[in-house]
Amino acid sequence: MSGERILVVDDEERMLQLLDKLLTGEGYEVRTASNAGDALRILGETDYNLVISDVRMPGMDGMSLLRSLSEQGSAAAVIMMTAYASVTAAVEAIQAGAFDYLTKPFKIDEMLLAVRQSLETHHLRREVKSLREEVHARYGLDNIIGKSKAITQVFDMVKRIAKTQSTILIEGKSGTGKELVAKALHFHSKRNEMPFVAVNCSAIPETLMESELFGHTKGSFTGAVSNHKGLFEEADGGTLFLDEVGEVPTSIQVKMLRALQEREIRRIGGRENISIDVRVIAATNRNLEEMVKEGTFREDLYYRLNVIPILLPELRERSEDVILLADHFVRKFCGQNGVPVKKISKTALERLMEYRWPGNVRELENVIERTVALSEGEVIDLDDIPPTINGGGGSVPRIGSDMSLDEIERLHIESVLRRVGGHQIRASGVLGIDRRTLYRKLIKYGLKPASEDRDSAVK
């Protein structure tokens, strides 16, 4: 902790000299002030990590100095010291924001311990503040790029409903940014200091889903060697994001409904109900209303989830945002690769805007990352864009073609499968969809699925 800046404030010259010598000997950078007015002036000129102040001083006393620092939003930790200690005064100082309250005469070891602990706490608070600012910057609305009418309507909706406690259903195709919106809702809500727990329901095997969501008790089944908290419990006080909720088996849907209705869950093998305070945000790329009609999704659960719906537009519906997004991703990946920011030529931008983007924003991000990595010049030109985008090598037809969207998507999936040698896992990653969704599309379009053996080889 050496090198930390400490300001000592006391009207007794001997105390200033003592602490100056003691703390300087420990490697701290020390400055002294004989009154609170001088201390405030010094603090206005330089940041200090710690202030050690006497309580009783002529003019502004130590408690007034402490309150003034708190009002000014000072990040410095504060230790108060006095020869006239009382429990009431100590409690008042701690409530006003002091880290510690020492009685004169104090022991040297006592003072040094208080200094070390206050500086450690100061750094932890700064780190927590910095992390929170980083998280809010990363998941705030400013991180969702776009100015089209379609996306600004989403912004307006998020701002209106973030502070509510209502359950939200986000609908949109794969790659439209459903989790990004869910995180923005959480970090603009009153629960933003509590956990945000995300789960991709399509990635959990049906046999494990109940345990993952609701937990289990020790010995409740083979392999249950200890009690296990489910994700509903993990998210207590915060937000649980159920991505691809349409993939939840009907056997689990009834238990999910109870959790939403009763605000309580029961672990597998448990005998007691556990109360939970969780805001649920669900997301799906499937049509849950059609699934209700087909009998594959419970109607009562659908209405419980669909309290406030948000429909995310596909990228082809907000083509004017392609330029903004492409520029954002170029800057992002140039920064990650440590190269100067590249420009995108006019012809390349025009082609990017003409493309239908069946994989939506995730596909655009994937394309820009690849292009930045492989392009050699300062300008990204048409030749730098992958053949599937710029019109060659099994490209998806441009706007103006007489082909349907399904035909365009089928051709794009075929092209990606060829590029990855038929591996479904790799293809789903490139397309920005989960493997089960890809498999359904292969069946839908009559494409021959890659063999399990080949996929297993790349796991």
Side-chain angles (χ1 to χ4, degrees):
M1 304 293 284
S2 62
E4 303 284 2
R5 288 189 295 272
I6 300 176
L7 176 64
V8 182
V9 189
D10 200 306
D11 61 326
E12 295 183 21
E13 185 63 28
R14 285 188 303 172
M15 182 57 67
L16 292 179
Q17 292 175 354
L18 170 65
L19 289 174
D20 187 1
K21 182 178 180 180
L22 173 65
L23 298 172
T24 301
E26 293 293 316
Y28 299 114
E29 182 182 326
V30 182
R31 188 169 178 180
T32 62
S34 58
N35 59 72
D38 286 347
L40 287 174
R41 177 182 56 79
I42 292 169
L43 289 166
E45 297 170 351
T46 309
D47 290 331
Y48 281 79
N49 305 98
L50 173 63
V51 175
I52 303 174
S53 175
D54 189 24
V55 173
R56 292 196 178 186
M57 294 183 292
M60 179 186 286
D61 62 15
M63 288 300 300
S64 298
L65 172 61
L66 175 61
R67 295 190 185 96
S68 180
L69 292 177
S70 179
E71 290 170 1
Q72 294 174 12
S74 172
V78 179
I79 295 176
M80 305 299 295
M81 55 184 182
T82 183
Y84 308 94
S86 71
V87 173
T88 302
V91 170
E92 183 184 2
I94 299 301
Q95 289 179 338
F99 175 80
D100 209 342
Y101 188 92
L102 301 181
T103 303
K104 295 178 181 178
F106 48 77
K107 296 179 180 179
I108 297 299
D109 289 345
E110 182 184 20
M111 173 59 78
L112 291 178
L113 177 61
V115 168
R116 284 195 297 269
Q117 291 179 336
S118 63
L119 288 172
E120 288 171 359
T121 300
H122 165 77
H123 280 284
L124 286 173
R125 288 174 178 170
R126 291 289 293 269
E127 286 178 13
V128 168
K129 181 181 178 182
S130 176
L131 287 171
R132 284 176 178 166
E133 290 174 350
E134 181 181 338
V135 164
H136 281 273
R138 184 175 180 183
Y139 297 123
L141 283 174
D142 291 343
N143 195 53
I144 304 175
I145 309 298
K147 62 179 182 180
S148 63
K149 182 178 180 181
I151 202 65
T152 53
Q153 288 176 342
V154 173
F155 294 160
D156 293 341
M157 176 66 81
V158 170
K159 291 175 183 176
R160 289 202 304 271
I161 65 178
K163 301 295 184 184
T164 72
Q165 300 300 313
S166 300
T167 304
I168 296 169
L169 178 63
I170 305 173
E171 299 174 280
K173 298 293 185 181
S174 293
T176 50
K178 296 187 288 295
E179 184 167 354
L180 199 60
V181 171
K183 287 177 177 176
L185 284 164
H186 172 74
F187 289 107
H188 284 83
S189 75
K190 297 176 181 178
R191 297 174 177 264
N192 59 12
E193 304 294 335
M194 302 303 287
F196 175 87
V197 178
V199 54
N200 187 329
C201 298
S202 68
I204 304 176
E206 183 174 350
T207 54
L208 299 178
M209 186 169 290
E210 183 178 0
S211 173
E212 285 297 303
L213 291 176
F214 306 109
H216 62 253
T217 59
K218 181 179 179 180
S220 55
F221 54 84
T222 303
V225 295
S226 62
N227 291 338
H228 170 70
K229 273 187 177 183
L231 295 174
F232 271 92
E233 284 184 80
E234 293 287 349
D236 191 38
T239 302
L240 178 61
F241 176 52
L242 299 171
D243 198 8
E244 304 303 345
V245 72
E247 306 298 330
V248 175
T250 52
S251 59
I252 305 297
Q253 290 177 23
V254 63
K255 297 174 182 178
M256 188 177 288
L257 176 65
R258 176 177 174 78
L260 291 170
Q261 288 180 331
E262 307 299 331
R263 298 292 175 182
E264 60 183 26
I265 56 97
R266 180 179 292 186
R267 295 177 180 176
I268 298 175
R271 297 183 178 180
E272 297 180 354
N273 292 331
I274 301 172
S275 296
I276 52 170
D277 173 23
V278 175
R279 184 192 198 178
V280 171
I281 300 176
T284 181
N285 62 6
R286 303 183 67 182
N287 188 326
L288 294 188
E289 199 167 359
E290 286 298 321
M291 293 180 66
V292 168
K293 294 176 182 178
E294 295 167 357
T296 55
F297 201 87
R298 290 182 63 98
E299 183 177 23
D300 46 8
L301 177 58
Y302 170 67
Y303 287 118
R304 180 64 63 175
L305 292 173
N306 195 35
V307 176
I308 301 179
I310 297 179
L311 180 61
L312 297 189
E314 296 183 55
L315 187 53
R316 63 186 177 86
E317 297 171 6
R318 42 184 290 224
S319 58
E320 60 265 51
D321 290 336
V322 170
I323 295 177
L324 292 175
L325 287 162
D327 180 70
H328 169 75
F329 291 136
V330 166
R331 293 177 181 276
K332 172 183 175 180
F333 294 118
C334 284
Q336 288 183 4
N337 293 330
V339 298
V341 176
K342 302 184 179 190
K343 295 182 179 180
I344 307 176
S345 72
K346 182 179 179 181
T347 53
L349 280 175
E350 289 174 349
R351 187 58 54 86
L352 292 176
M353 291 185 68
E354 290 172 348
Y355 184 65
R356 300 287 286 181
W357 300 109
N360 292 294
V361 178
R362 188 182 291 125
E363 184 186 7
L364 174 60
E365 182 177 15
N366 179 281
V367 166
I368 296 299
E369 180 178 11
R370 173 185 171 184
T371 302
V372 166
L374 297 179
S375 61
E376 297 179 349
E378 297 179 357
V379 177
I380 294 173
D381 212 340
L382 195 59
D383 292 340
D384 297 312
I385 298 175
T388 53
I389 309 299
N390 70 19
S395 65
V396 176
R398 296 160 53 184
I399 294 175
S401 168
D402 58 358
M403 300 182 74
S404 68
L405 183 58
D406 280 350
E407 290 174 315
I408 293 172
E409 185 176 54
R410 179 180 61 79
L411 285 174
H412 183 57
I413 291 173
E414 282 184 321
S415 174
V416 170
L417 283 169
R418 282 196 299 271
R419 280 163 44 200
V420 299
H423 294 287
Q424 288 184 46
I425 294 175
R426 293 179 183 173
S428 61
V430 172
L431 292 165
I433 57 179
D434 61 76
R435 189 179 174 190
R436 290 167 65 178
T437 301
L438 174 59
Y439 187 81
R440 286 197 303 270
K441 290 183 181 293
L442 294 176
I443 298 299
K444 174 182 176 181
Y445 295 129
L447 302 174
K448 184 179 179 181
S451 70
E452 294 297 323
D453 291 340
R454 294 184 67 183
D455 275 345
S456 299
V458 295
K459 288 183 180 178

